[in-house]
Amino acid sequence: LITVDQTVIRTAGTLGMLTLPLAVDAAPATAFAGAGVLLIAAAGVAALAGRRVTAAAVALPAGEPVASRAS
């Protein structure tokens, strides 16, 4: 999984380095606003995922190990 993760990260970084200069050169103001919107969307997704993970961790019974639960 670490190899897949690194491959995705490197591929996304490479694509960004190839496409970002073209987007900024074509329309700097639009590219800046678009980057802000994408950043806000990513923060929202991360916040929702964090709340979901936290809620799942809180829902576990206190004295019971996770491995002993029936699936």
Side-chain angles (χ1 to χ4, degrees):
L1 289 175
I2 292 172
T3 302
V4 172
D5 180 54
Q6 286 297 313
T7 302
V8 169
I9 289 171
R10 301 254 179 195
T11 303
T14 301
L15 289 174
M17 293 299 286
L18 292 173
T19 59
L20 187 62
L22 297 173
V24 172
D25 193 35
T30 304
F32 185 76
V37 169
L38 287 174
L39 182 63
I40 290 170
V45 168
L48 290 174
R51 283 187 180 198
R52 189 171 187 182
V53 168
T54 303
V58 171
L60 291 175
E64 182 182 348
V66 175
S68 68
R69 291 184 9 188
S71 296

